[in-house]
């Protein structure tokens, strides 16, 4: 990032990641609007297994925005490490929260605004302390990393847990617990990021004139990416249809970021050569984002009133109010004798004039 060639790559990756967050945040709103229109028409809901949203143009507009955002995200991963690009997804939470309060009449109180600010600050800290991944410049080196036992164990755990969530937890708790479908999207999404990194390397080699199309790994990664994105879209639609957008978006971000960071650390050994201050900065930035997301989610329906202040602050407000009232009363008492004295003087003057007459 600090070299002469790393700086332009960093700026390109940063710009693409920012554009991706804007498009993806908007896509949540468009999809939710489309699903709400279908619900008002009495169509079968996506949360109940219906697919009527495929005939709704607003849903397709949201899907197009998400496609553009994912394409920008795809390109960003090709230019920058995953741990640099993924935290910027917090900006999609900010975009989604603001647009939800504007177009979906979902409340964004002062806690939510503070949460958005904390998410941005945490993302900035994580970008500053972003770890450097091991250089992967060819499909051969990517294949070697995919054969690593640590990554194989991680991928098997992701697939098994996703299948359990889909076929065991989904029918029982999918309608009442937001974590079920969001966990599926996040876990599968971590694998899709790995596929995106590999395809980005393949595209770079293709543009440089290498016979990448003859390599089977590139096609395997493409098929896996299509499957992962299809699963993500399906279960994200279910979560959006059942639960509030302001709930789904932040939880999805936290879980997805955690899964991607874990996958990238295992696959690309991003944390292996980090110094202590960068590790502390990265963890602190991520915890700041989580705190902001918690504020945005946990207190979304709580109006901010003076009664919510701590007792000592409420007591301070009461004492200050009493002091103001006593001060006003004291000042009014000081001025009260002037008026009667003036009236008394004027009354005595009138009596003297009457006697003289």
């Amino acid at each position: 990032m600090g070299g002469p060639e790393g700086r332009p790559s960093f700026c390109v990756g940063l710009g693409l990641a920012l554009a991706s967050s804007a498009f993806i945040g908007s896509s949540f709103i468009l999809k939710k609007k489309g699903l709400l229109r279908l619900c008002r028409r009495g169509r079968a809901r996506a949360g109940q297994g219906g697919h009527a949203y495929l005939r709704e143009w607003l849903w397709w507009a949201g899907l197009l925005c998400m496609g553009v955002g994912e394409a920008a995200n795809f390109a960003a991963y090709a230019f920058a490490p995953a741990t640099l690009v993924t935290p910027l997804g917090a900006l999609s939470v900010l975009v989604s929260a603001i647009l939800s309060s504007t177009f979906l009449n979902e409340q964004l109180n002062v806690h939510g605004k503070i949460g958005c600010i904390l998410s941005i600050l945490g993302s900035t800290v994580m970008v500053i302390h972003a770890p450097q991944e091991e250089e992967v410049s060819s499909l051969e080196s990517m294949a070697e990393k995919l054969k690593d036992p640590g990554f194989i164990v991680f991928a098997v755990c992701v697939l098994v847990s996703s299948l359990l969530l889909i076929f065991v937890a989904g029918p029982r708790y999918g309608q009442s617990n937001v974590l079920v479908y969001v966990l599926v999207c996040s876990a599968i999404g971590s694998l899709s990021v790995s596929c995106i990194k590999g395809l980005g390397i393949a595209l770079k080699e293709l543009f440089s004139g290498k016979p990448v199309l003859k390599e089977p790994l590139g096609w395997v990664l493409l098929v896996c990416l299509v499957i992962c994105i299809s699963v993500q879209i399906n279960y994200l639609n279910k979560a959006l249809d059942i639960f509030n957008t302001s709930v789904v978006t932040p939880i999805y971000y936290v879980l997805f970021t955690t899964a991607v960071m874990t996958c990238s650390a295992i696959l690309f050994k991003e944390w292996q050569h980090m110094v202590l201050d960068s590790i502390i900065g990265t963890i602190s930035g991520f915890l700041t984002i989580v705190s902001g997301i918690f504020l945005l989610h946990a207190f979304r329906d709580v109006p901010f009133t003076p009664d919510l202040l701590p007792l000592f602050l409420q007591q301070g407000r009461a004492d200050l109010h009493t002091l103001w009232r006593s001060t006003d009363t004291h000042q009014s008492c000081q001025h009260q004798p002037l008026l009667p004295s003036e009236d008394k003087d004027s009354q005595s003057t009138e009596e003297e004039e009457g006697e003289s007459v």
Side-chain angles (χ1 to χ4, degrees):
M1 217 164 44
E5 296 181 358
R7 185 66 181 179
S9 297
F10 169 77
C11 294
V12 171
L14 178 61
L16 290 171
L18 294 176
S20 171
S21 298
F23 279 105
I24 292 176
S26 302
S27 71
F28 284 105
I29 309 305
L30 292 172
K31 286 184 176 182
K32 185 67 175 183
K33 290 281 286 185
L35 294 172
L36 289 175
R37 288 181 60 175
L38 290 175
C39 183
R40 288 194 295 266
R41 295 174 186 172
R43 303 289 183 86
R45 302 180 61 178
Q48 299 173 349
H51 295 87
Y53 57 84
L54 295 175
R55 295 190 295 272
E56 176 58 49
W57 71 269
L58 271 176
W59 185 87
W60 282 105
L63 183 63
L64 179 61
C65 282
M66 177 165 282
V68 174
E70 292 294 345
N73 201 44
F74 179 94
Y77 281 115
F79 285 97
T83 314
L84 173 66
V85 176
T86 304
L88 293 179
L91 298 180
S92 66
V93 178
L94 172 63
V95 172
S96 178
I98 294 175
L99 294 181
S100 296
S101 63
T102 304
F103 296 103
L104 298 179
N105 297 323
E106 296 180 3
Q107 185 180 10
L108 181 63
N109 53 19
V110 66
H111 304 93
K113 295 174 183 177
I114 295 174
C116 291
I117 294 173
L118 287 176
S119 298
I120 296 174
L121 294 177
S123 298
T124 304
V125 173
M126 287 196 71
V127 168
I128 294 174
H129 297 280
Q132 296 295 319
E133 63 185 6
E134 290 186 358
E135 186 66 25
V136 182
S137 57
S138 64
L139 284 179
E140 289 79 7
S141 58
M142 184 68 184
E144 292 297 325
K145 291 189 173 298
L146 292 175
K147 295 176 184 178
D148 185 77
F151 177 74
I152 293 176
V153 172
F154 173 80
V156 170
C157 292
V158 166
L159 293 175
V160 171
S161 60
S162 299
L163 291 174
L164 291 175
L165 287 170
I166 292 172
F167 295 106
V168 178
R172 296 182 180 179
Y173 310 107
Q175 299 290 327
S176 59
N177 194 328
V178 67
L179 292 177
V180 175
Y181 294 140
V182 177
L183 275 172
V184 174
C185 298
S186 303
I188 298 298
S190 65
L191 298 181
S192 67
V193 169
S194 302
C195 297
I196 288 172
K197 289 290 291 185
L199 289 175
I201 296 170
L203 287 177
K204 285 184 177 181
E205 289 191 323
L206 180 63
F207 292 146
S208 63
K210 295 182 179 180
V212 178
L213 298 178
K214 297 180 181 180
E215 295 288 339
L217 178 60
W219 297 105
V220 172
L221 292 175
L222 180 60
V223 172
C224 292
L225 179 62
V226 172
I227 295 174
C228 290
I229 291 179
S230 300
V231 173
Q232 286 181 265
I233 291 175
N234 182 44
Y235 287 97
L236 185 59
N237 281 328
K238 290 179 180 291
L240 284 172
D241 187 53
I242 299 171
F243 303 99
N244 197 304
T245 308
S246 61
V247 176
V248 175
T249 306
I251 294 179
Y252 175 68
Y253 168 77
V254 172
L255 296 178
F256 176 72
T257 304
T258 304
V260 170
M261 289 176 61
T262 304
C263 181
S264 299
I266 294 173
L267 183 60
F268 299 107
K269 307 295 189 297
E270 292 180 343
W271 297 66
Q272 188 171 356
H273 304 292
M274 290 181 65
V275 295
L276 181 60
D277 58 347
S278 295
I279 295 175
I280 294 175
T282 302
I283 296 176
S284 300
F286 182 67
L287 293 179
T288 303
I289 296 174
V290 172
S291 302
I293 297 300
F294 175 77
L295 282 177
L296 186 63
H297 163 61
F299 302 102
R300 66 188 186 278
D301 296 325
V302 179
F304 184 79
T305 60
D307 295 336
L308 296 176
L309 293 173
L311 292 177
F312 71 94
L313 291 179
Q314 294 185 21
Q315 184 66 31
R317 289 178 65 255
D319 295 342
L320 184 61
H321 184 65
T322 304
L323 178 62
W324 284 346
R325 292 190 62 181
S326 62
T327 303
D328 293 340
T329 304
H330 181 65
Q331 290 178 352
S332 62
C333 292
Q334 288 180 344
H335 289 287
Q336 280 179 359
L338 295 178
L339 294 177
S341 63
E342 290 177 356
D343 293 340
K344 188 180 294 185
D345 294 339
S346 61
Q347 184 177 1
S348 61
T349 304
E350 291 177 356
E351 291 177 355
E352 292 176 358
E353 290 180 355
E355 291 177 357
S356 61
V357 171

mmCIF file of all heavy atoms in Angstrom, residues 178-215:
data_model
loop_
_atom_site.group_PDB
_atom_site.id
_atom_site.type_symbol
_atom_site.label_atom_id
_atom_site.label_comp_id
_atom_site.label_asym_id
_atom_site.label_seq_id
_atom_site.Cartn_x
_atom_site.Cartn_y
_atom_site.Cartn_z
ATOM 1 N N VAL A 178 -33.834 -14.241 13.438
ATOM 2 C CA VAL A 178 -33.209 -13.627 12.271
ATOM 3 C C VAL A 178 -31.843 -14.234 11.964
ATOM 4 O O VAL A 178 -31.353 -14.156 10.829
ATOM 5 C CB VAL A 178 -33.087 -12.102 12.490
ATOM 6 C CG1 VAL A 178 -32.104 -11.797 13.614
ATOM 7 C CG2 VAL A 178 -32.683 -11.382 11.217
ATOM 8 N N LEU A 179 -31.213 -14.860 12.952
ATOM 9 C CA LEU A 179 -29.859 -15.379 12.757
ATOM 10 C C LEU A 179 -29.807 -16.578 11.819
ATOM 11 O O LEU A 179 -28.764 -16.840 11.220
ATOM 12 C CB LEU A 179 -29.248 -15.761 14.109
ATOM 13 C CG LEU A 179 -28.938 -14.618 15.073
ATOM 14 C CD1 LEU A 179 -28.402 -15.169 16.383
ATOM 15 C CD2 LEU A 179 -27.928 -13.655 14.448
ATOM 16 N N VAL A 180 -30.913 -17.310 11.680
ATOM 17 C CA VAL A 180 -30.872 -18.565 10.923
ATOM 18 C C VAL A 180 -30.505 -18.296 9.470
ATOM 19 O O VAL A 180 -29.490 -18.799 8.949
ATOM 20 C CB VAL A 180 -32.226 -19.293 11.022
ATOM 21 C CG1 VAL A 180 -32.223 -20.534 10.135
ATOM 22 C CG2 VAL A 180 -32.516 -19.677 12.467
ATOM 23 N N TYR A 181 -31.315 -17.496 8.781
ATOM 24 C CA TYR A 181 -31.068 -17.250 7.365
ATOM 25 C C TYR A 181 -29.862 -16.341 7.138
ATOM 26 O O TYR A 181 -29.143 -16.493 6.158
ATOM 27 C CB TYR A 181 -32.316 -16.644 6.722
ATOM 28 C CG TYR A 181 -33.489 -17.583 6.683
ATOM 29 C CD1 TYR A 181 -34.781 -17.132 6.948
ATOM 30 C CD2 TYR A 181 -33.313 -18.933 6.408
ATOM 31 C CE1 TYR A 181 -35.864 -17.999 6.917
ATOM 32 C CE2 TYR A 181 -34.387 -19.815 6.381
ATOM 33 C CZ TYR A 181 -35.660 -19.333 6.636
ATOM 34 O OH TYR A 181 -36.728 -20.196 6.604
ATOM 35 N N VAL A 182 -29.627 -15.408 8.058
ATOM 36 C CA VAL A 182 -28.484 -14.500 7.902
ATOM 37 C C VAL A 182 -27.174 -15.252 8.085
ATOM 38 O O VAL A 182 -26.170 -14.953 7.411
ATOM 39 C CB VAL A 182 -28.598 -13.322 8.880
ATOM 40 C CG1 VAL A 182 -27.379 -12.417 8.780
ATOM 41 C CG2 VAL A 182 -29.854 -12.518 8.589
ATOM 42 N N LEU A 183 -27.147 -16.226 8.969
ATOM 43 C CA LEU A 183 -25.941 -17.040 9.135
ATOM 44 C C LEU A 183 -25.626 -17.835 7.878
ATOM 45 O O LEU A 183 -24.458 -17.998 7.512
ATOM 46 C CB LEU A 183 -26.109 -17.981 10.335
ATOM 47 C CG LEU A 183 -25.779 -17.420 11.716
ATOM 48 C CD1 LEU A 183 -26.179 -18.415 12.798
ATOM 49 C CD2 LEU A 183 -24.307 -17.078 11.818
ATOM 50 N N VAL A 184 -26.668 -18.339 7.209
ATOM 51 C CA VAL A 184 -26.441 -19.053 5.957
ATOM 52 C C VAL A 184 -25.806 -18.126 4.927
ATOM 53 O O VAL A 184 -24.812 -18.477 4.268
ATOM 54 C CB VAL A 184 -27.765 -19.637 5.425
ATOM 55 C CG1 VAL A 184 -27.563 -20.264 4.053
ATOM 56 C CG2 VAL A 184 -28.324 -20.673 6.390
ATOM 57 N N CYS A 185 -26.363 -16.908 4.772
ATOM 58 C CA CYS A 185 -25.810 -15.941 3.812
ATOM 59 C C CYS A 185 -24.364 -15.587 4.143
ATOM 60 O O CYS A 185 -23.517 -15.494 3.249
ATOM 61 C CB CYS A 185 -26.661 -14.668 3.800
ATOM 62 S SG CYS A 185 -28.365 -14.900 3.295
ATOM 63 N N SER A 186 -24.082 -15.393 5.422
ATOM 64 C CA SER A 186 -22.740 -14.960 5.823
ATOM 65 C C SER A 186 -21.712 -16.066 5.636
ATOM 66 O O SER A 186 -20.607 -15.823 5.128
ATOM 67 C CB SER A 186 -22.763 -14.506 7.283
ATOM 68 O OG SER A 186 -23.704 -13.487 7.478
ATOM 69 N N ALA A 187 -22.060 -17.276 6.042
ATOM 70 C CA ALA A 187 -21.113 -18.380 5.927
ATOM 71 C C ALA A 187 -20.803 -18.693 4.461
ATOM 72 O O ALA A 187 -19.634 -18.833 4.072
ATOM 73 C CB ALA A 187 -21.672 -19.614 6.633
ATOM 74 N N ILE A 188 -21.842 -18.792 3.639
ATOM 75 C CA ILE A 188 -21.622 -19.048 2.218
ATOM 76 C C ILE A 188 -20.921 -17.865 1.557
ATOM 77 O O ILE A 188 -20.108 -18.031 0.642
ATOM 78 C CB ILE A 188 -22.956 -19.345 1.520
ATOM 79 C CG1 ILE A 188 -23.588 -20.603 2.124
ATOM 80 C CG2 ILE A 188 -22.770 -19.530 0.027
ATOM 81 C CD1 ILE A 188 -22.770 -21.855 1.964
ATOM 82 N N GLY A 189 -21.202 -16.662 2.048
ATOM 83 C CA GLY A 189 -20.544 -15.471 1.490
ATOM 84 C C GLY A 189 -19.049 -15.471 1.686
ATOM 85 O O GLY A 189 -18.304 -14.931 0.848
ATOM 86 N N SER A 190 -18.565 -16.063 2.776
ATOM 87 C CA SER A 190 -17.118 -16.125 2.975
ATOM 88 C C SER A 190 -16.451 -16.972 1.897
ATOM 89 O O SER A 190 -15.337 -16.661 1.444
ATOM 90 C CB SER A 190 -16.807 -16.689 4.364
ATOM 91 O OG SER A 190 -17.241 -18.038 4.466
ATOM 92 N N LEU A 191 -17.131 -18.035 1.461
ATOM 93 C CA LEU A 191 -16.587 -18.849 0.379
ATOM 94 C C LEU A 191 -16.670 -18.127 -0.962
ATOM 95 O O LEU A 191 -15.796 -18.280 -1.815
ATOM 96 C CB LEU A 191 -17.336 -20.183 0.309
ATOM 97 C CG LEU A 191 -17.235 -21.082 1.548
ATOM 98 C CD1 LEU A 191 -18.012 -22.367 1.324
ATOM 99 C CD2 LEU A 191 -15.779 -21.386 1.876
ATOM 100 N N SER A 192 -17.719 -17.349 -1.150
ATOM 101 C CA SER A 192 -17.839 -16.603 -2.403
ATOM 102 C C SER A 192 -16.731 -15.565 -2.557
ATOM 103 O O SER A 192 -16.254 -15.306 -3.671
ATOM 104 C CB SER A 192 -19.210 -15.920 -2.487
ATOM 105 O OG SER A 192 -19.329 -14.899 -1.513
ATOM 106 N N VAL A 193 -16.282 -14.977 -1.445
ATOM 107 C CA VAL A 193 -15.166 -14.023 -1.511
ATOM 108 C C VAL A 193 -13.891 -14.721 -1.960
ATOM 109 O O VAL A 193 -13.116 -14.172 -2.757
ATOM 110 C CB VAL A 193 -14.976 -13.335 -0.143
ATOM 111 C CG1 VAL A 193 -13.672 -12.551 -0.102
ATOM 112 C CG2 VAL A 193 -16.140 -12.415 0.154
ATOM 113 N N SER A 194 -13.672 -15.934 -1.491
ATOM 114 C CA SER A 194 -12.501 -16.692 -1.940
ATOM 115 C C SER A 194 -12.576 -16.974 -3.440
ATOM 116 O O SER A 194 -11.569 -16.874 -4.149
ATOM 117 C CB SER A 194 -12.410 -18.004 -1.161
ATOM 118 O OG SER A 194 -12.338 -17.769 0.226
ATOM 119 N N CYS A 195 -13.779 -17.313 -3.909
ATOM 120 C CA CYS A 195 -13.957 -17.532 -5.356
ATOM 121 C C CYS A 195 -13.710 -16.251 -6.134
ATOM 122 O O CYS A 195 -13.102 -16.268 -7.223
ATOM 123 C CB CYS A 195 -15.356 -18.055 -5.639
ATOM 124 S SG CYS A 195 -15.722 -19.668 -4.906
ATOM 125 N N ILE A 196 -14.156 -15.136 -5.600
ATOM 126 C CA ILE A 196 -13.961 -13.842 -6.273
ATOM 127 C C ILE A 196 -12.479 -13.511 -6.376
ATOM 128 O O ILE A 196 -12.006 -13.029 -7.414
ATOM 129 C CB ILE A 196 -14.731 -12.741 -5.520
ATOM 130 C CG1 ILE A 196 -16.235 -12.905 -5.743
ATOM 131 C CG2 ILE A 196 -14.287 -11.361 -5.972
ATOM 132 C CD1 ILE A 196 -17.078 -11.984 -4.900
ATOM 133 N N LYS A 197 -11.728 -13.755 -5.296
ATOM 134 C CA LYS A 197 -10.291 -13.491 -5.341
ATOM 135 C C LYS A 197 -9.615 -14.341 -6.413
ATOM 136 O O LYS A 197 -8.774 -13.856 -7.176
ATOM 137 C CB LYS A 197 -9.669 -13.784 -3.975
ATOM 138 C CG LYS A 197 -10.031 -12.805 -2.891
ATOM 139 C CD LYS A 197 -9.405 -11.447 -3.096
ATOM 140 C CE LYS A 197 -7.918 -11.476 -2.910
ATOM 141 N NZ LYS A 197 -7.300 -10.130 -2.996
ATOM 142 N N GLY A 198 -9.988 -15.618 -6.486
ATOM 143 C CA GLY A 198 -9.394 -16.483 -7.502
ATOM 144 C C GLY A 198 -9.767 -16.064 -8.911
ATOM 145 O O GLY A 198 -8.919 -16.060 -9.817
ATOM 146 N N LEU A 199 -11.027 -15.676 -9.137
ATOM 147 C CA LEU A 199 -11.432 -15.225 -10.473
ATOM 148 C C LEU A 199 -10.785 -13.897 -10.838
ATOM 149 O O LEU A 199 -10.495 -13.644 -12.013
ATOM 150 C CB LEU A 199 -12.955 -15.099 -10.522
ATOM 151 C CG LEU A 199 -13.731 -16.431 -10.507
ATOM 152 C CD1 LEU A 199 -15.217 -16.164 -10.427
ATOM 153 C CD2 LEU A 199 -13.393 -17.254 -11.752
ATOM 154 N N GLY A 200 -10.571 -13.040 -9.846
ATOM 155 C CA GLY A 200 -9.851 -11.793 -10.131
ATOM 156 C C GLY A 200 -8.435 -12.058 -10.605
ATOM 157 O O GLY A 200 -7.945 -11.405 -11.536
ATOM 158 N N ILE A 201 -7.767 -13.019 -9.998
ATOM 159 C CA ILE A 201 -6.426 -13.412 -10.453
ATOM 160 C C ILE A 201 -6.497 -13.989 -11.863
ATOM 161 O O ILE A 201 -5.640 -13.703 -12.718
ATOM 162 C CB ILE A 201 -5.818 -14.422 -9.465
ATOM 163 C CG1 ILE A 201 -5.607 -13.762 -8.098
ATOM 164 C CG2 ILE A 201 -4.499 -14.969 -9.994
ATOM 165 C CD1 ILE A 201 -5.235 -14.749 -7.011
ATOM 166 N N ALA A 202 -7.531 -14.800 -12.130
ATOM 167 C CA ALA A 202 -7.677 -15.385 -13.465
ATOM 168 C C ALA A 202 -7.893 -14.307 -14.527
ATOM 169 O O ALA A 202 -7.335 -14.378 -15.634
ATOM 170 C CB ALA A 202 -8.839 -16.378 -13.472
ATOM 171 N N LEU A 203 -8.681 -13.292 -14.207
ATOM 172 C CA LEU A 203 -8.913 -12.210 -15.171
ATOM 173 C C LEU A 203 -7.633 -11.416 -15.436
ATOM 174 O O LEU A 203 -7.360 -11.009 -16.575
ATOM 175 C CB LEU A 203 -10.011 -11.279 -14.648
ATOM 176 C CG LEU A 203 -11.437 -11.843 -14.689
ATOM 177 C CD1 LEU A 203 -12.417 -10.847 -14.067
ATOM 178 C CD2 LEU A 203 -11.842 -12.158 -16.122
ATOM 179 N N LYS A 204 -6.857 -11.186 -14.391
ATOM 180 C CA LYS A 204 -5.583 -10.490 -14.592
ATOM 181 C C LYS A 204 -4.673 -11.286 -15.517
ATOM 182 O O LYS A 204 -4.018 -10.718 -16.414
ATOM 183 C CB LYS A 204 -4.892 -10.261 -13.242
ATOM 184 C CG LYS A 204 -5.511 -9.151 -12.401
ATOM 185 C CD LYS A 204 -4.695 -8.948 -11.135
ATOM 186 C CE LYS A 204 -5.241 -7.801 -10.301
ATOM 187 N NZ LYS A 204 -4.453 -7.570 -9.069
ATOM 188 N N GLU A 205 -4.617 -12.598 -15.314
ATOM 189 C CA GLU A 205 -3.796 -13.434 -16.193
ATOM 190 C C GLU A 205 -4.355 -13.466 -17.617
ATOM 191 O O GLU A 205 -3.595 -13.511 -18.591
ATOM 192 C CB GLU A 205 -3.706 -14.855 -15.627
ATOM 193 C CG GLU A 205 -2.868 -14.966 -14.370
ATOM 194 C CD GLU A 205 -2.596 -16.410 -13.998
ATOM 195 O OE1 GLU A 205 -3.514 -17.245 -14.184
ATOM 196 O OE2 GLU A 205 -1.492 -16.717 -13.552
ATOM 197 N N LEU A 206 -5.683 -13.450 -17.745
ATOM 198 C CA LEU A 206 -6.291 -13.459 -19.075
ATOM 199 C C LEU A 206 -5.947 -12.203 -19.844
ATOM 200 O O LEU A 206 -5.623 -12.253 -21.043
ATOM 201 C CB LEU A 206 -7.812 -13.612 -18.938
ATOM 202 C CG LEU A 206 -8.607 -13.638 -20.248
ATOM 203 C CD1 LEU A 206 -8.216 -14.858 -21.089
ATOM 204 C CD2 LEU A 206 -10.104 -13.641 -19.958
ATOM 205 N N PHE A 207 -6.002 -11.060 -19.177
ATOM 206 C CA PHE A 207 -5.671 -9.801 -19.835
ATOM 207 C C PHE A 207 -4.179 -9.695 -20.163
ATOM 208 O O PHE A 207 -3.791 -8.942 -21.068
ATOM 209 C CB PHE A 207 -6.095 -8.618 -18.960
ATOM 210 C CG PHE A 207 -7.589 -8.489 -18.823
ATOM 211 C CD1 PHE A 207 -8.147 -8.018 -17.638
ATOM 212 C CD2 PHE A 207 -8.431 -8.853 -19.858
ATOM 213 C CE1 PHE A 207 -9.514 -7.894 -17.509
ATOM 214 C CE2 PHE A 207 -9.807 -8.731 -19.737
ATOM 215 C CZ PHE A 207 -10.353 -8.251 -18.556
ATOM 216 N N SER A 208 -3.361 -10.435 -19.427
ATOM 217 C CA SER A 208 -1.929 -10.428 -19.721
ATOM 218 C C SER A 208 -1.538 -11.418 -20.814
ATOM 219 O O SER A 208 -0.359 -11.511 -21.168
ATOM 220 C CB SER A 208 -1.131 -10.726 -18.456
ATOM 221 O OG SER A 208 -1.421 -12.028 -17.972
ATOM 222 N N GLY A 209 -2.520 -12.156 -21.355
ATOM 223 C CA GLY A 209 -2.254 -13.040 -22.488
ATOM 224 C C GLY A 209 -2.013 -14.484 -22.148
ATOM 225 O O GLY A 209 -1.666 -15.278 -23.030
ATOM 226 N N LYS A 210 -2.215 -14.886 -20.907
ATOM 227 C CA LYS A 210 -1.989 -16.269 -20.525
ATOM 228 C C LYS A 210 -3.225 -17.118 -20.861
ATOM 229 O O LYS A 210 -4.364 -16.624 -20.816
ATOM 230 C CB LYS A 210 -1.674 -16.368 -19.026
ATOM 231 C CG LYS A 210 -0.370 -15.680 -18.642
ATOM 232 C CD LYS A 210 -0.082 -15.849 -17.162
ATOM 233 C CE LYS A 210 1.231 -15.179 -16.778
ATOM 234 N NZ LYS A 210 1.535 -15.326 -15.342
ATOM 235 N N PRO A 211 -3.047 -18.394 -21.189
ATOM 236 C CA PRO A 211 -4.181 -19.274 -21.557
ATOM 237 C C PRO A 211 -4.981 -19.722 -20.329
ATOM 238 O O PRO A 211 -4.977 -20.906 -19.960
ATOM 239 C CB PRO A 211 -3.498 -20.439 -22.264
ATOM 240 C CG PRO A 211 -2.143 -20.512 -21.633
ATOM 241 C CD PRO A 211 -1.744 -19.101 -21.309
ATOM 242 N N VAL A 212 -5.664 -18.779 -19.720
ATOM 243 C CA VAL A 212 -6.390 -19.086 -18.485
ATOM 244 C C VAL A 212 -7.625 -19.938 -18.761
ATOM 245 O O VAL A 212 -8.030 -20.740 -17.924
ATOM 246 C CB VAL A 212 -6.786 -17.764 -17.788
ATOM 247 C CG1 VAL A 212 -7.585 -18.027 -16.529
ATOM 248 C CG2 VAL A 212 -5.544 -16.951 -17.457
ATOM 249 N N LEU A 213 -8.220 -19.784 -19.941
ATOM 250 C CA LEU A 213 -9.457 -20.502 -20.244
ATOM 251 C C LEU A 213 -9.262 -22.013 -20.277
ATOM 252 O O LEU A 213 -10.229 -22.768 -20.163
ATOM 253 C CB LEU A 213 -10.034 -20.021 -21.580
ATOM 254 C CG LEU A 213 -10.430 -18.539 -21.630
ATOM 255 C CD1 LEU A 213 -10.932 -18.176 -23.017
ATOM 256 C CD2 LEU A 213 -11.491 -18.228 -20.577
ATOM 257 N N LYS A 214 -8.038 -22.445 -20.428
ATOM 258 C CA LYS A 214 -7.754 -23.878 -20.439
ATOM 259 C C LYS A 214 -7.543 -24.443 -19.047
ATOM 260 O O LYS A 214 -7.438 -25.658 -18.887
ATOM 261 C CB LYS A 214 -6.515 -24.151 -21.295
ATOM 262 C CG LYS A 214 -6.690 -23.769 -22.760
ATOM 263 C CD LYS A 214 -5.431 -24.071 -23.548
ATOM 264 C CE LYS A 214 -5.584 -23.672 -25.019
ATOM 265 N NZ LYS A 214 -4.351 -23.966 -25.792
ATOM 266 N N GLU A 215 -7.462 -23.558 -18.048
ATOM 267 C CA GLU A 215 -7.247 -24.000 -16.674
ATOM 268 C C GLU A 215 -8.582 -24.402 -16.050
ATOM 269 O O GLU A 215 -9.533 -23.594 -16.027
ATOM 270 C CB GLU A 215 -6.601 -22.882 -15.848
ATOM 271 C CG GLU A 215 -5.201 -22.504 -16.290
ATOM 272 C CD GLU A 215 -4.186 -23.575 -15.927
ATOM 273 O OE1 GLU A 215 -4.483 -24.383 -15.012
ATOM 274 O OE2 GLU A 215 -3.123 -23.603 -16.553
#
